[in-house]
């Protein structure tokens, strides 16, 4: 098993690179750190790489990167993966700020890249748009969330934070309640990508930006049960669902096994559990029909 420290950046293929850059710079609020003919690298205002865009035939999230321990021995990591039956290869994709990566495919075909060396791509970058702090999590629709959860825990050391019924699992690799989540769907594809904002007032600012740009909020604002984050959802240039959120549950101590107590928890203490479908919102409206299009 390899141990992941945090989610790094997500790579998207897009049929319209210009439109994708316009969305991520003007709505999402990232800065173009580097631009090549068919690729663009977008960083948060802090200067961390968050999104890699590649010209492609289809709109899809194709890769996720995760940071591993500093000075990790990549040969040892490759052996560790091989023990779990996973073939990996050392690559250098010349991604700005990132050294070599150890790449492999997860059980649903998404490329996972492990990195330990990275540098900031700027500091105090001026951005339009919401300006998130980091990628919080990426959710995928998969045929069997049980199988994917098994792979992510056995191979990548993720822990289960919550289930909704038997169809939606939330998994953590650090104190954040979830960095990945998997919902049952007919087709394997990204369900949503979530960007963390500073607080509720930052979330309100992001709603104003969406309002100005006439981009409908397709769910929220609401406070979720699982993770207890306050969230809104909208669709981006390529019809992907994008979540903005704040106040995600934190598990600071794995041995204690509960999430840092918060006034909005109904359980005392709040431990990982199975939530009842239909009873997973603390407050806020139900999703619109548009939110559920991943079922198609
Ligand atoms: Fe989410």
């Amino acid at each position: 098993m390899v141990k992941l420290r945090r989610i790094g950046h997500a790579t998207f293929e897009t049929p319209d690179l210009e439109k994708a850059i316009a969305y991520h710079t003007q709505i999402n609020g990232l800065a173009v750190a580097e631009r090549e003919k068919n690729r663009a690298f977008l960083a948060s205002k802090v200067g961390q790489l968050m999104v890699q865009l590649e010209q492609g035939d289809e709109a899809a999230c194709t890769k996720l990167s995760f940071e591993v321990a500093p000075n990790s021995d990549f040969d040892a990591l490759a052996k560790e993966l091989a023990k779990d039956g996973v073939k990996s290869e050392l690559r250098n994709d010349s991604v700005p700020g990132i050294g070599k990566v150890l790449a492999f495919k997860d059980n649903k075909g998404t490329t996972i890249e492990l990195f330990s060396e990275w540098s900031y791509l700027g500091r105090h970058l001026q951005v339009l748009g919401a300006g998130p702090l980091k990628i919080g999590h990426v959710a995928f629709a998969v045929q069997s969330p049980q199988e994917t959860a098994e792979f992510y825990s056995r191979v990548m050391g993720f822990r289960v934070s919550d289930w909704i019924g038997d169809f939606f699992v939330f998994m953590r690799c650090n104190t954040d309640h979830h960095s990945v989540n998997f919902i049952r769907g007919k087709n394997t594809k990204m369900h949503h990508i979530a960007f963390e904002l500073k607080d509720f007032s930052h979330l309100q600012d992001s709603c104003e930006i969406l309002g100005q740009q006439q981009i409908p909020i397709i769910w929220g604002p609401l406070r979720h049960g699982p993770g207890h984050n306050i969230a809104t959802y909208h669709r981006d240039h390529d019809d992907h669902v994008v979540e903005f959120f704040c106040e995600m549950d934190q598990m600071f101590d794995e041995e204690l096994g509960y999430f840092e107590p918060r006034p909005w928890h109904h359980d005392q203490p709040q431990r990982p559990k199975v939530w009842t479908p239909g009873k997973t919102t603390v407050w806020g409206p139900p999703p619109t029909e548009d939110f559920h299009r991943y079922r198609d």
Side-chain angles (χ1 to χ4, degrees):
M1 180 200 295
V2 293
K3 190 170 184 319
L4 312 187
R5 303 307 174 103
R6 69 171 178 100
I7 190 164
H9 76 287
T11 300
F12 288 92
E13 274 186 22
T14 176
D16 192 334
L17 189 57
E18 291 310 321
K19 232 161 95 179
I21 293 172
Y23 168 82
H24 281 290
T25 52
Q26 288 160 42
I27 312 294
N28 192 11
L30 306 180
V32 177
E34 210 163 299
R35 174 76 207 265
E36 298 166 3
K37 186 166 173 282
N38 293 318
R39 297 200 299 179
F41 299 92
L42 296 125
S44 65
K45 52 191 169 188
V46 178
Q48 284 185 298
L49 178 63
M50 297 220 329
V51 170
Q52 177 175 340
L53 299 170
E54 296 178 348
Q55 184 76 43
D57 297 333
E58 264 182 66
C61 175
T62 53
K63 287 192 272 190
L64 294 179
S65 75
F66 290 91
E67 185 167 0
V68 291
N71 307 315
S72 281
D73 175 347
F74 278 54
D75 288 336
L77 289 179
K79 279 186 194 138
E80 206 53 45
L81 288 167
K83 268 195 238 165
D84 288 318
V86 176
K87 222 169 71 185
S88 59
E89 64 170 8
L90 212 52
R91 282 189 201 161
N92 194 329
D93 281 348
S94 57
V95 171
I98 293 197
K100 59 183 191 287
V101 300
L102 188 65
F104 60 95
K105 289 218 187 248
D106 69 11
N107 71 316
K108 60 183 163 52
T110 308
T111 298
I112 305 295
E113 293 180 327
L114 308 182
F115 66 94
S116 69
E117 294 161 24
W118 66 277
S119 54
Y120 287 86
L121 303 175
R123 60 193 306 180
H124 305 301
L125 299 171
Q126 293 296 315
V127 297
L128 304 169
L133 304 177
K134 67 175 191 187
I135 292 185
H137 55 275
V138 184
F140 279 82
V142 295
Q143 281 172 2
S144 169
Q146 282 75 11
E147 277 174 27
T148 305
E150 191 276 332
F151 182 93
Y152 269 69
S153 59
R154 177 173 53 82
V155 177
M156 296 152 80
F158 275 83
R159 283 83 69 192
V160 171
S161 284
D162 275 317
W163 277 92
I164 300 175
D166 63 355
F167 64 89
F168 203 173
V169 62
F170 301 75
M171 304 185 83
R172 67 185 181 281
C173 64
N174 54 29
T175 63
D176 285 348
H177 178 275
H178 56 287
S179 296
V180 292
N181 36 348
F182 305 108
I183 189 167
R184 184 174 300 137
K186 263 185 252 164
N187 301 305
T188 299
K189 58 181 176 187
M190 191 185 79
H191 179 265
H192 67 272
I193 182 165
F195 294 97
E196 185 173 25
L197 304 188
K198 186 165 62 71
D199 54 22
F200 198 17
S201 89
H202 193 185
L203 204 66
Q204 183 191 345
D205 291 346
S206 74
C207 292
E208 304 301 352
I209 291 162
L210 295 172
Q212 278 296 330
Q213 301 287 334
Q214 301 187 14
I215 297 172
I217 292 171
I218 58 172
W219 191 14
L222 78 154
R223 185 183 290 284
H224 284 297
H228 290 87
N229 42 316
I230 304 177
T232 68
Y233 297 81
H234 66 278
R235 285 185 183 271
D236 73 4
H237 56 284
D238 275 337
D239 213 30
H240 298 302
V241 173
V242 176
E243 173 185 355
F244 288 144
F245 75 91
C246 62
E247 296 187 346
M248 178 69 82
D249 275 343
Q250 298 292 312
M251 188 177 287
F252 291 125
D253 189 323
E254 286 285 329
E255 281 181 39
L256 292 178
Y258 56 77
F259 298 101
E260 189 65 6
R262 287 288 179 267
W264 40 83
H265 290 167
H266 289 179
D267 295 0
Q268 291 182 309
Q270 189 71 51
R271 296 182 187 279
K273 67 171 184 174
V274 178
W275 293 72
T276 306
K279 293 187 174 169
T280 59
T281 296
V282 178
W283 52 256
T288 61
E289 264 310 299
D290 187 40
F291 180 82
H292 284 307
R293 275 201 279 125
Y294 72 91
R295 289 172 175 161
D296 302 345

